[in-house]
Amino acid sequence: MKKKIFMAFLGVLLCASLTGCRGKNGTPEPSAEPEATGEISQPTEEPLFTPEPTADPNEGKVKSLLTGQYISEKKAKKRPYAVMINNIEYAARHQSGISKAQILYEAKVEGGITRLMGIFENVKSTKIGSVRSARHYYVSVASEYDAVFVHFGHTKFALSKIDKLGVDNISGLSGIGGKVFYRDNSISAPHNAFTSTKGLEAGMNALKYRKNYKKNYEGHFQFYDTDSDIADGKTANKVTVKFSGYASPYFIYDADKKVYKRYQYGKAHVDTANNKQLSFKNLIIQYVDDEPIVPGHAKDYRTINFENAKGKGKYITNGKAVNITWVKNESKGIMQYYAQDGSELTINPGKTYIALFPDENSQLTISAKRKYAVKWKDKEIC
């Protein structure tokens, strides 16, 4: 009997344990836990690795004062060389190192021919030239860049300007000429004088010239941070700079590479040292007062008014041309270019060609056509 009572008691306990967590209808009692939202939370996974921040390719570099492109700070501080380069047709066939110039100037000298001056930054070359004689207006331009002026020969006007402006110069006719220059005997004199990086450095050391830019020198140009198109302006796919019947170089725009390729004497203008055609991101046509320095003199030496002067010009880049103006203070070594709205001109990063172009009875040809240019009078270009 006692056994039956005990078994019944166990049954009651078992039933209570099964029903104690259920409501009156047998449904589970509400839990003290908050209701589930229906979303399944995923465990937080730690990344396998932390990606490195993208390196700035220009970190530790500064803009070149000649091109606006980033170079090492050490290189950017070094003074450039302004080298006079022969450009008569015969000599042009032997030009070497010229494609390494960051800026190239061209102006008339005697007899309708032109002479070039390359502004070289940190040049590395065993052959630069051929190097020819100085002209005083080129001395003035070299002073704008705080450059060391390099020449083989000179006029009395050039020597006077060197002294007046205090321009550091390396001359082939000086006592150190043999350290700086050499002759290529496969080329006829006087078109065979060349220099090199090693020679220029020897000249700098011998003359104890300052190797870095002077303090507070800010450069010649303002540059865009990135390549920029001209919003307005005339289409300029071919630009012909007719200095004379003898010298009439022209430029063809390469739309793929966005540069102007130079031609002269009816063919591509090529550097014989590396077989590269000269090309430029920017073209500046600077109209100047060019005239004989001694009217009627047999040698026809030219002069350009640069002492305190101003004028007009064209800026050409990325297939477009616009009007600009310029102002020069020679005694301070300053040349500034201005856009049409009067603000200082900003140009694209890259190499620049500058023509010191006579504005009297001259024509500049700017055309949308690449092969056959239509001549425009100056007032009709832009």
Side-chain angles (χ1 to χ4, degrees), residues 182-234:
Y182 65 92
R183 297 281 185 180
D184 181 344
N185 292 325
S186 68
I187 303 171
S188 300
H191 313 295
N192 63 348
F194 293 84
T195 188
S196 64
T197 300
K198 185 177 179 180
L200 292 171
E201 290 175 349
M204 290 285 287
N205 292 332
L207 295 167
K208 298 181 180 180
Y209 285 153
R210 170 173 45 87
K211 295 185 178 181
N212 291 338
Y213 283 111
K214 60 188 175 185
K215 291 182 179 180
N216 302 321
Y217 180 73
E218 296 180 352
H220 196 280
F221 298 106
Q222 297 291 325
F223 293 98
Y224 289 112
D225 290 329
T226 58
D227 185 57
S228 302
D229 292 331
I230 294 176
D232 299 312
K234 290 289 184 180

CSV table of all heavy atoms in Angstrom, one decimal, residues 182-234:
chain,number,residue,atom,x,y,z
A,182,TYR,N,84.9,71.0,-76.1
A,182,TYR,CA,85.8,70.2,-76.9
A,182,TYR,C,85.3,70.3,-78.3
A,182,TYR,O,84.2,70.6,-78.6
A,182,TYR,CB,85.9,68.7,-76.4
A,182,TYR,CG,84.6,67.9,-76.6
A,182,TYR,CD1,84.2,67.2,-77.7
A,182,TYR,CD2,83.6,68.0,-75.5
A,182,TYR,CE1,83.0,66.5,-77.8
A,182,TYR,CE2,82.4,67.3,-75.6
A,182,TYR,CZ,82.1,66.5,-76.8
A,182,TYR,OH,80.9,65.9,-76.9
A,183,ARG,N,86.2,69.9,-79.3
A,183,ARG,CA,85.9,69.9,-80.7
A,183,ARG,C,85.6,68.5,-81.2
A,183,ARG,O,86.3,67.6,-80.9
A,183,ARG,CB,87.0,70.5,-81.5
A,183,ARG,CG,87.4,72.0,-81.2
A,183,ARG,CD,86.4,73.0,-81.8
A,183,ARG,NE,86.8,74.3,-81.6
A,183,ARG,CZ,86.1,75.4,-82.1
A,183,ARG,NH1,85.1,75.2,-82.8
A,183,ARG,NH2,86.5,76.6,-81.8
A,184,ASP,N,84.5,68.4,-82.0
A,184,ASP,CA,84.2,67.2,-82.7
A,184,ASP,C,84.8,67.4,-84.1
A,184,ASP,O,84.2,68.1,-85.0
A,184,ASP,CB,82.7,67.0,-82.8
A,184,ASP,CG,82.3,65.7,-83.5
A,184,ASP,OD1,83.2,65.1,-84.3
A,184,ASP,OD2,81.2,65.2,-83.4
A,185,ASN,N,85.9,66.8,-84.4
A,185,ASN,CA,86.6,67.0,-85.7
A,185,ASN,C,85.9,66.4,-86.9
A,185,ASN,O,86.4,66.6,-88.0
A,185,ASN,CB,88.0,66.5,-85.6
A,185,ASN,CG,88.9,67.3,-84.6
A,185,ASN,OD1,88.7,68.6,-84.5
A,185,ASN,ND2,89.7,66.7,-83.8
A,186,SER,N,84.8,65.7,-86.7
A,186,SER,CA,84.1,65.2,-87.8
A,186,SER,C,83.1,66.2,-88.4
A,186,SER,O,82.5,66.0,-89.4
A,186,SER,CB,83.3,63.9,-87.4
A,186,SER,OG,82.2,64.3,-86.5
A,187,ILE,N,83.0,67.4,-87.7
A,187,ILE,CA,82.2,68.5,-88.1
A,187,ILE,C,83.0,69.7,-88.4
A,187,ILE,O,84.0,69.9,-87.7
A,187,ILE,CB,81.1,68.8,-87.0
A,187,ILE,CG1,80.3,67.5,-86.6
A,187,ILE,CG2,80.2,69.9,-87.4
A,187,ILE,CD1,79.5,67.7,-85.4
A,188,SER,N,82.6,70.4,-89.4
A,188,SER,CA,83.4,71.6,-89.8
A,188,SER,C,83.3,72.7,-88.7
A,188,SER,O,82.3,73.0,-88.2
A,188,SER,CB,82.9,72.2,-91.1
A,188,SER,OG,83.0,71.2,-92.2
A,189,ALA,N,84.5,73.4,-88.5
A,189,ALA,CA,84.5,74.5,-87.6
A,189,ALA,C,83.9,75.7,-88.3
A,189,ALA,O,83.9,75.8,-89.6
A,189,ALA,CB,86.0,74.8,-87.3
A,190,PRO,N,83.2,76.6,-87.6
A,190,PRO,CA,83.2,76.8,-86.2
A,190,PRO,C,82.0,76.1,-85.6
A,190,PRO,O,81.5,76.5,-84.5
A,190,PRO,CB,83.1,78.3,-86.0
A,190,PRO,CG,82.3,78.7,-87.2
A,190,PRO,CD,82.6,77.8,-88.3
A,191,HIS,N,81.4,75.2,-86.3
A,191,HIS,CA,80.1,74.5,-85.8
A,191,HIS,C,80.4,73.3,-85.0
A,191,HIS,O,79.5,72.5,-84.9
A,191,HIS,CB,79.3,74.2,-87.0
A,191,HIS,CG,79.2,75.3,-88.0
A,191,HIS,ND1,78.6,76.5,-87.7
A,191,HIS,CD2,79.6,75.4,-89.3
A,191,HIS,CE1,78.6,77.3,-88.8
A,191,HIS,NE2,79.2,76.7,-89.7
A,192,ASN,N,81.6,73.1,-84.5
A,192,ASN,CA,81.9,71.8,-83.9
A,192,ASN,C,82.3,71.9,-82.4
A,192,ASN,O,83.0,71.0,-81.9
A,192,ASN,CB,83.0,71.1,-84.7
A,192,ASN,CG,84.3,71.9,-84.7
A,192,ASN,OD1,84.3,73.0,-84.3
A,192,ASN,ND2,85.3,71.2,-85.2
A,193,ALA,N,82.0,73.0,-81.7
A,193,ALA,CA,82.3,73.1,-80.3
A,193,ALA,C,81.2,72.6,-79.5
A,193,ALA,O,80.0,73.0,-79.6
A,193,ALA,CB,82.6,74.6,-80.0
A,194,PHE,N,81.5,71.6,-78.6
A,194,PHE,CA,80.5,71.0,-77.7
A,194,PHE,C,80.9,71.0,-76.3
A,194,PHE,O,82.1,71.2,-76.0
A,194,PHE,CB,80.2,69.5,-78.1
A,194,PHE,CG,79.6,69.4,-79.5
A,194,PHE,CD1,80.4,69.4,-80.7
A,194,PHE,CD2,78.2,69.3,-79.6
A,194,PHE,CE1,79.8,69.3,-81.9
A,194,PHE,CE2,77.6,69.1,-80.9
A,194,PHE,CZ,78.4,69.2,-82.0
A,195,THR,N,80.0,70.9,-75.4
A,195,THR,CA,80.3,70.8,-74.0
A,195,THR,C,79.6,69.5,-73.4
A,195,THR,O,78.9,68.8,-74.2
A,195,THR,CB,79.9,72.0,-73.2
A,195,THR,OG1,80.3,71.9,-71.8
A,195,THR,CG2,78.3,72.2,-73.2
A,196,SER,N,79.7,69.3,-72.1
A,196,SER,CA,79.1,68.1,-71.5
A,196,SER,C,78.8,68.4,-70.1
A,196,SER,O,79.2,69.5,-69.5
A,196,SER,CB,80.1,66.9,-71.6
A,196,SER,OG,81.3,67.2,-70.8
A,197,THR,N,78.1,67.5,-69.4
A,197,THR,CA,77.9,67.7,-68.0
A,197,THR,C,79.2,67.8,-67.2
A,197,THR,O,79.3,68.7,-66.3
A,197,THR,CB,77.0,66.5,-67.4
A,197,THR,OG1,75.8,66.4,-68.1
A,197,THR,CG2,76.8,66.7,-65.9
A,198,LYS,N,80.1,66.9,-67.5
A,198,LYS,CA,81.4,67.0,-66.8
A,198,LYS,C,82.1,68.3,-67.1
A,198,LYS,O,82.7,68.9,-66.1
A,198,LYS,CB,82.2,65.8,-67.3
A,198,LYS,CG,83.6,65.6,-66.6
A,198,LYS,CD,84.3,64.4,-67.1
A,198,LYS,CE,85.7,64.3,-66.4
A,198,LYS,NZ,86.4,63.1,-66.8
A,199,GLY,N,82.1,68.8,-68.3
A,199,GLY,CA,82.7,70.0,-68.6
A,199,GLY,C,82.1,71.2,-67.9
A,199,GLY,O,82.8,72.1,-67.4
A,200,LEU,N,80.8,71.2,-67.9
A,200,LEU,CA,80.1,72.3,-67.2
A,200,LEU,C,80.4,72.4,-65.7
A,200,LEU,O,80.6,73.4,-65.1
A,200,LEU,CB,78.6,72.2,-67.5
A,200,LEU,CG,78.1,72.5,-68.9
A,200,LEU,CD1,76.6,72.1,-69.1
A,200,LEU,CD2,78.4,73.9,-69.4
A,201,GLU,N,80.4,71.2,-65.1
A,201,GLU,CA,80.7,71.1,-63.7
A,201,GLU,C,82.1,71.6,-63.4
A,201,GLU,O,82.4,72.2,-62.4
A,201,GLU,CB,80.5,69.7,-63.2
A,201,GLU,CG,79.0,69.3,-63.1
A,201,GLU,CD,78.8,67.9,-62.7
A,201,GLU,OE1,79.8,67.1,-62.7
A,201,GLU,OE2,77.6,67.5,-62.5
A,202,ALA,N,83.0,71.2,-64.3
A,202,ALA,CA,84.4,71.7,-64.2
A,202,ALA,C,84.5,73.2,-64.3
A,202,ALA,O,85.3,73.8,-63.5
A,202,ALA,CB,85.3,71.0,-65.3
A,203,GLY,N,83.7,73.8,-65.2
A,203,GLY,CA,83.7,75.2,-65.3
A,203,GLY,C,83.1,75.9,-64.1
A,203,GLY,O,83.7,76.9,-63.6
A,204,MET,N,82.1,75.3,-63.5
A,204,MET,CA,81.5,75.9,-62.3
A,204,MET,C,82.4,75.9,-61.1
A,204,MET,O,82.6,76.8,-60.4
A,204,MET,CB,80.2,75.1,-61.9
A,204,MET,CG,79.0,75.3,-62.9
A,204,MET,SD,78.2,76.8,-62.6
A,204,MET,CE,77.4,76.5,-61.0
A,205,ASN,N,83.2,74.7,-61.0
A,205,ASN,CA,84.1,74.6,-59.9
A,205,ASN,C,85.3,75.6,-60.1
A,205,ASN,O,85.7,76.2,-59.1
A,205,ASN,CB,84.6,73.2,-59.8
A,205,ASN,CG,83.5,72.2,-59.4
A,205,ASN,OD1,82.6,72.6,-58.7
A,205,ASN,ND2,83.6,71.0,-59.8
A,206,ALA,N,85.8,75.7,-61.3
A,206,ALA,CA,87.0,76.5,-61.5
A,206,ALA,C,86.6,78.0,-61.3
A,206,ALA,O,87.4,78.8,-60.7
A,206,ALA,CB,87.5,76.4,-63.0
A,207,LEU,N,85.4,78.4,-61.6
A,207,LEU,CA,85.0,79.8,-61.5
A,207,LEU,C,84.4,80.0,-60.1
A,207,LEU,O,84.0,81.2,-59.8
A,207,LEU,CB,84.0,80.2,-62.6
A,207,LEU,CG,84.7,80.2,-64.0
A,207,LEU,CD1,83.6,80.3,-65.1
A,207,LEU,CD2,85.6,81.3,-64.1
A,208,LYS,N,84.2,79.0,-59.3
A,208,LYS,CA,83.6,79.1,-58.0
A,208,LYS,C,82.2,79.8,-58.0
A,208,LYS,O,81.9,80.6,-57.1
A,208,LYS,CB,84.6,79.8,-57.1
A,208,LYS,CG,85.9,79.1,-56.9
A,208,LYS,CD,86.8,79.8,-55.9
A,208,LYS,CE,88.1,79.0,-55.8
A,208,LYS,NZ,89.1,79.7,-54.9
A,209,TYR,N,81.4,79.4,-59.0
A,209,TYR,CA,80.1,79.9,-59.0
A,209,TYR,C,79.1,79.3,-58.0
A,209,TYR,O,79.3,78.1,-57.7
A,209,TYR,CB,79.5,79.7,-60.4
A,209,TYR,CG,80.0,80.7,-61.5
A,209,TYR,CD1,80.1,80.3,-62.8
A,209,TYR,CD2,80.5,81.9,-61.2
A,209,TYR,CE1,80.6,81.1,-63.8
A,209,TYR,CE2,81.0,82.8,-62.2
A,209,TYR,CZ,81.0,82.4,-63.5
A,209,TYR,OH,81.5,83.2,-64.5
A,210,ARG,N,78.2,80.0,-57.6
A,210,ARG,CA,77.1,79.5,-56.7
A,210,ARG,C,76.4,78.4,-57.5
A,210,ARG,O,75.9,78.6,-58.6
A,210,ARG,CB,76.2,80.7,-56.3
A,210,ARG,CG,74.9,80.3,-55.6
A,210,ARG,CD,74.2,81.6,-55.2
A,210,ARG,NE,74.1,82.6,-56.2
A,210,ARG,CZ,73.2,82.7,-57.2
A,210,ARG,NH1,72.2,81.8,-57.2
A,210,ARG,NH2,73.2,83.7,-58.0
A,211,LYS,N,76.1,77.3,-56.8
A,211,LYS,CA,75.5,76.2,-57.5
A,211,LYS,C,74.0,76.1,-57.3
A,211,LYS,O,73.3,75.4,-58.1
A,211,LYS,CB,76.2,74.9,-57.0
A,211,LYS,CG,77.6,74.8,-57.5
A,211,LYS,CD,78.3,73.5,-57.1
A,211,LYS,CE,79.7,73.4,-57.6
A,211,LYS,NZ,80.4,72.1,-57.3
A,212,ASN,N,73.5,76.7,-56.3
A,212,ASN,CA,72.0,76.7,-56.1
A,212,ASN,C,71.4,78.1,-56.4
A,212,ASN,O,72.1,79.1,-56.5
A,212,ASN,CB,71.7,76.3,-54.6
A,212,ASN,CG,72.1,74.9,-54.3
A,212,ASN,OD1,72.1,74.1,-55.2
A,212,ASN,ND2,72.3,74.6,-53.0
A,213,TYR,N,70.1,78.0,-56.6
A,213,TYR,CA,69.4,79.3,-56.8
A,213,TYR,C,69.6,80.3,-55.7
A,213,TYR,O,69.8,79.9,-54.5
A,213,TYR,CB,67.9,79.0,-56.9
A,213,TYR,CG,67.4,78.4,-58.2
A,213,TYR,CD1,66.9,77.1,-58.3
A,213,TYR,CD2,67.4,79.2,-59.4
A,213,TYR,CE1,66.4,76.6,-59.5
A,213,TYR,CE2,66.9,78.6,-60.6
A,213,TYR,CZ,66.4,77.4,-60.6
A,213,TYR,OH,65.9,76.8,-61.8
A,214,LYS,N,69.6,81.5,-56.0
A,214,LYS,CA,69.8,82.6,-55.0
A,214,LYS,C,68.5,82.5,-54.1
A,214,LYS,O,67.5,82.1,-54.5
A,214,LYS,CB,69.9,83.9,-55.6
A,214,LYS,CG,68.8,84.4,-56.5
A,214,LYS,CD,69.1,85.7,-57.2
A,214,LYS,CE,68.0,86.1,-58.2
A,214,LYS,NZ,68.4,87.3,-59.0
A,215,LYS,N,68.7,83.0,-52.9
A,215,LYS,CA,67.6,83.0,-51.9
A,215,LYS,C,66.5,83.9,-52.4
A,215,LYS,O,66.7,84.9,-53.1
A,215,LYS,CB,68.1,83.6,-50.6
A,215,LYS,CG,69.1,82.6,-49.8
A,215,LYS,CD,69.5,83.2,-48.5
A,215,LYS,CE,70.5,82.3,-47.8
A,215,LYS,NZ,70.9,82.8,-46.4
A,216,ASN,N,65.3,83.4,-52.1
A,216,ASN,CA,64.0,84.1,-52.5
A,216,ASN,C,63.7,84.1,-54.0
A,216,ASN,O,62.8,84.8,-54.4
A,216,ASN,CB,64.1,85.5,-52.0
A,216,ASN,CG,64.3,85.7,-50.5
A,216,ASN,OD1,63.7,84.9,-49.7
A,216,ASN,ND2,65.1,86.6,-50.1
A,217,TYR,N,64.5,83.3,-54.8
A,217,TYR,CA,64.2,83.2,-56.2
A,217,TYR,C,62.9,82.3,-56.3
A,217,TYR,O,62.9,81.2,-55.8
A,217,TYR,CB,65.3,82.6,-57.0
A,217,TYR,CG,65.0,82.5,-58.5
A,217,TYR,CD1,64.9,83.6,-59.3
A,217,TYR,CD2,64.7,81.2,-59.0
A,217,TYR,CE1,64.6,83.5,-60.6
A,217,TYR,CE2,64.4,81.1,-60.3
A,217,TYR,CZ,64.4,82.2,-61.2
A,217,TYR,OH,64.0,82.1,-62.5
A,218,GLU,N,61.9,82.8,-57.0
A,218,GLU,CA,60.6,82.1,-57.0
A,218,GLU,C,60.3,81.5,-58.4
A,218,GLU,O,59.3,80.8,-58.5
A,218,GLU,CB,59.5,83.1,-56.7
A,218,GLU,CG,59.6,83.7,-55.3
A,218,GLU,CD,58.4,84.7,-54.9
A,218,GLU,OE1,57.7,85.0,-55.9
A,218,GLU,OE2,58.3,85.0,-53.8
A,219,GLY,N,61.2,81.7,-59.3
A,219,GLY,CA,60.9,81.0,-60.6
A,219,GLY,C,60.3,82.0,-61.6
A,219,GLY,O,59.9,83.1,-61.3
A,220,HIS,N,60.2,81.5,-62.8
A,220,HIS,CA,59.8,82.3,-64.0
A,220,HIS,C,58.3,82.2,-64.3
A,220,HIS,O,57.7,83.1,-64.8
A,220,HIS,CB,60.6,81.8,-65.2
A,220,HIS,CG,60.6,82.8,-66.3
A,220,HIS,ND1,59.5,82.9,-67.2
A,220,HIS,CD2,61.5,83.7,-66.8
A,220,HIS,CE1,59.8,83.8,-68.2
A,220,HIS,NE2,61.0,84.3,-67.9
A,221,PHE,N,57.7,81.0,-64.0
A,221,PHE,CA,56.3,80.7,-64.4
A,221,PHE,C,55.5,80.3,-63.2
A,221,PHE,O,56.0,79.8,-62.2
A,221,PHE,CB,56.3,79.6,-65.4
A,221,PHE,CG,57.0,79.9,-66.7
A,221,PHE,CD1,58.2,79.3,-66.9
A,221,PHE,CD2,56.5,80.7,-67.6
A,221,PHE,CE1,58.9,79.6,-68.1
A,221,PHE,CE2,57.1,81.0,-68.8
A,221,PHE,CZ,58.4,80.4,-69.1
A,222,GLN,N,54.2,80.4,-63.4
A,222,GLN,CA,53.2,79.8,-62.5
A,222,GLN,C,52.6,78.5,-63.3
A,222,GLN,O,52.3,78.6,-64.5
A,222,GLN,CB,52.0,80.7,-62.2
A,222,GLN,CG,52.4,82.0,-61.5
A,222,GLN,CD,52.8,81.7,-60.1
A,222,GLN,OE1,52.3,80.8,-59.4
A,222,GLN,NE2,53.8,82.4,-59.6
A,223,PHE,N,52.5,77.4,-62.6
A,223,PHE,CA,52.1,76.1,-63.2
A,223,PHE,C,50.8,75.6,-62.6
A,223,PHE,O,50.6,75.7,-61.4
A,223,PHE,CB,53.2,75.0,-63.0
A,223,PHE,CG,54.5,75.3,-63.8
A,223,PHE,CD1,55.5,75.9,-63.1
A,223,PHE,CD2,54.6,75.0,-65.1
A,223,PHE,CE1,56.7,76.1,-63.8
A,223,PHE,CE2,55.8,75.3,-65.8
A,223,PHE,CZ,56.9,75.8,-65.1
A,224,TYR,N,50.0,75.0,-63.5
A,224,TYR,CA,48.8,74.3,-63.0
A,224,TYR,C,49.3,73.0,-62.2
A,224,TYR,O,50.4,72.5,-62.5
A,224,TYR,CB,48.0,73.8,-64.1
A,224,TYR,CG,47.2,74.9,-64.8
A,224,TYR,CD1,47.5,75.2,-66.2
A,224,TYR,CD2,46.1,75.5,-64.2
A,224,TYR,CE1,46.8,76.2,-66.8
A,224,TYR,CE2,45.4,76.5,-64.9
A,224,TYR,CZ,45.7,76.9,-66.2
A,224,TYR,OH,45.0,77.8,-66.8
A,225,ASP,N,48.5,72.5,-61.3
A,225,ASP,CA,48.9,71.3,-60.6
A,225,ASP,C,48.8,70.1,-61.5
A,225,ASP,O,49.6,69.1,-61.4
A,225,ASP,CB,48.0,71.1,-59.4
A,225,ASP,CG,48.3,72.1,-58.3
A,225,ASP,OD1,49.5,72.6,-58.2
A,225,ASP,OD2,47.4,72.5,-57.5
A,226,THR,N,47.8,70.1,-62.4
A,226,THR,CA,47.6,69.0,-63.4
A,226,THR,C,47.4,69.6,-64.7
A,226,THR,O,47.1,70.8,-64.9
A,226,THR,CB,46.4,68.2,-63.0
A,226,THR,OG1,45.2,69.0,-62.9
A,226,THR,CG2,46.6,67.5,-61.6
A,227,ASP,N,47.5,68.8,-65.7
A,227,ASP,CA,47.3,69.2,-67.1
A,227,ASP,C,45.9,69.8,-67.3
A,227,ASP,O,44.9,69.2,-66.9
A,227,ASP,CB,47.5,68.0,-68.0
A,227,ASP,CG,47.4,68.4,-69.5
A,227,ASP,OD1,48.2,69.2,-69.9
A,227,ASP,OD2,46.6,67.8,-70.2
A,228,SER,N,45.8,71.0,-67.9
A,228,SER,CA,44.6,71.7,-68.0
A,228,SER,C,44.4,72.2,-69.4
A,228,SER,O,45.4,72.7,-70.1
A,228,SER,CB,44.5,72.9,-67.0
A,228,SER,OG,44.7,72.4,-65.7
A,229,ASP,N,43.2,72.1,-69.9
A,229,ASP,CA,42.9,72.7,-71.2
A,229,ASP,C,42.5,74.1,-71.2
A,229,ASP,O,42.0,74.6,-70.1
A,229,ASP,CB,41.7,71.9,-71.9
A,229,ASP,CG,42.1,70.4,-72.2
A,229,ASP,OD1,43.3,70.2,-72.5
A,229,ASP,OD2,41.2,69.6,-72.2
A,230,ILE,N,42.7,74.8,-72.3
A,230,ILE,CA,42.2,76.2,-72.4
A,230,ILE,C,40.7,76.2,-72.7
A,230,ILE,O,40.3,75.5,-73.7
A,230,ILE,CB,43.0,76.9,-73.5
A,230,ILE,CG1,44.5,77.1,-73.1
A,230,ILE,CG2,42.4,78.3,-73.8
A,230,ILE,CD1,45.4,77.7,-74.2
A,231,ALA,N,40.0,76.9,-71.9
A,231,ALA,CA,38.5,76.9,-72.1
A,231,ALA,C,38.1,77.6,-73.4
A,231,ALA,O,37.3,77.0,-74.2
A,231,ALA,CB,37.8,77.6,-70.9
A,232,ASP,N,38.7,78.7,-73.7
A,232,ASP,CA,38.4,79.4,-75.0
A,232,ASP,C,39.7,79.5,-75.8
A,232,ASP,O,40.8,79.2,-75.3
A,232,ASP,CB,37.8,80.8,-74.7
A,232,ASP,CG,36.5,80.7,-73.9
A,232,ASP,OD1,35.7,79.9,-74.3
A,232,ASP,OD2,36.4,81.4,-72.9
A,233,GLY,N,39.5,80.0,-77.0
A,233,GLY,CA,40.7,80.2,-77.8
A,233,GLY,C,40.6,79.6,-79.2
A,233,GLY,O,39.6,78.8,-79.5
A,234,LYS,N,41.5,79.9,-80.1
A,234,LYS,CA,41.5,79.3,-81.4
A,234,LYS,C,42.1,78.0,-81.5
A,234,LYS,O,43.1,77.7,-80.8
A,234,LYS,CB,42.2,80.3,-82.4
A,234,LYS,CG,41.5,81.6,-82.6
A,234,LYS,CD,40.3,81.4,-83.5
A,234,LYS,CE,39.7,82.8,-83.8
A,234,LYS,NZ,38.5,82.7,-84.7
